[in-house]
Amino acid sequence: MDVDGLGQKLIDQLVEKGLVKDIADLYALTQDAFASLERMAEKSAANIIKALENSKHPLLARFVYALGIRHVGEHIAQVLARNLSSLDALSQATEEELVAIPEIGPEVAQSVISFFREKGNRGEIKRLQKAGVTIAETSKKLEEPLKGKTFLFTGALEGMSRDEAKDLVEQLGGEIASSAGKGVDYAVKGKEPGSKYAKARELGLTIIDEEEFKRLVGVK
């Protein structure tokens, strides 16, 4: 899951204190629990609680990637989400169905099947759902209205994380640029944009804000 402000050092502290054992445990933590951590101010603790709440509605690809399935990185998670309609469809897919998906070979297929066969893994997913995590599912035959379009993101978004926005672009057929260049079709400007924004302006790129981006991708 993509939670702003929750880095590896904080997670290590939570594990050492016995406060979390898996992802689902994070959603049961209180602001006081985070505030008790080393070098954690009340405001920072409050921001993490807010970020956890905002992370409860991930796109299917982001959720699948966060599960930590062996051989399933960000790109393969995108491929699976683009070709399967829901987490249920993925968890029940046969090896034959999985290897029929472009870029999915027998090794990845077996890894996915083995993951969902494990009782502990299924239990963790149920705990996440009980904590209020709901997955934004996609159509099995997803259209790609952004095919051929390249997006650059600079600055913080309010309604979704940068990673979620990037996932959405890729699921709709678009591509992500890491730096400003003539090949960028849209530069999406969030709060406190950095040097990429200045470069985008210098190059005369089309710059849109978060609301314009949401309208473009069909998100309310």
Side-chain angles (χ1 to χ4, degrees):
M1 312 296 277
D2 185 53
V3 182
D4 291 336
L6 190 59
Q8 190 59 50
K9 288 184 179 180
L10 287 181
I11 292 174
D12 289 343
Q13 284 192 62
L14 292 169
V15 172
E16 288 172 7
K17 286 176 173 285
L19 295 173
V20 299
K21 292 181 180 179
D22 55 35
I23 299 174
D25 288 339
L26 289 171
Y27 293 94
L29 295 178
T30 63
Q31 184 173 324
D32 287 342
F34 282 107
S36 70
L37 300 178
E38 184 181 345
R39 297 179 181 177
M40 176 62 66
E42 286 288 344
K43 184 176 180 181
S44 297
N47 287 339
I48 291 177
I49 291 294
K50 183 179 179 181
L52 278 167
E53 190 64 30
N54 290 339
S55 74
K56 285 185 175 181
H57 308 290
L59 294 169
L60 179 58
R62 177 58 47 182
F63 185 85
V64 171
Y65 173 62
L67 290 175
I69 303 172
R70 191 181 181 193
H71 303 309
V72 178
E74 289 188 77
H75 176 67
I76 293 300
Q78 287 281 357
V79 172
L80 291 169
R82 193 177 295 130
N83 286 273
L84 295 165
S85 59
S86 66
L87 186 65
D88 283 342
L90 176 60
S91 66
Q92 296 169 20
T94 64
E95 181 175 3
E96 183 179 5
E97 290 170 332
L98 289 168
V99 297
I101 298 172
E103 299 187 66
I104 305 299
E107 189 173 32
V108 172
Q110 277 300 318
S111 184
V112 170
I113 291 169
S114 296
F115 179 88
F116 287 106
R117 279 180 180 167
E118 286 287 335
K119 185 177 180 180
N121 294 333
R122 296 197 305 273
E124 182 176 351
I125 291 171
K126 286 182 179 179
R127 289 194 297 276
L128 283 167
Q129 292 170 334
K130 188 175 180 180
V133 176
T134 57
I135 304 159
E137 299 178 351
T138 57
S139 168
K140 189 171 182 179
K141 293 183 178 180
L142 190 67
E143 294 182 1
E144 297 187 332
L146 301 184
K147 191 170 184 178
K149 301 296 183 183
T150 300
F151 288 73
L152 172 72
F153 290 89
T154 177
L157 303 178
E158 293 186 333
M160 63 182 76
S161 71
R162 288 259 292 272
D163 282 339
E164 287 174 331
K166 290 176 180 179
D167 285 346
L168 185 55
V169 167
E170 290 178 340
Q171 285 194 32
L172 295 175
E175 297 182 0
I176 303 299
S178 59
S179 60
K182 289 295 185 181
V184 172
D185 296 286
Y186 296 100
V188 183
K189 179 176 74 71
K191 281 191 172 182
E192 299 181 4
S195 58
K196 293 178 184 178
Y197 172 61
K199 186 65 175 179
R201 290 189 62 184
E202 180 185 328
L203 293 173
L205 302 181
T206 299
I207 298 172
I208 60 176
D209 61 21
E210 184 174 351
E211 290 306 311
E212 290 173 305
F213 170 71
K214 287 181 178 179
R215 286 195 292 271
L216 192 62
V217 298
V219 172
K220 295 181 179 180

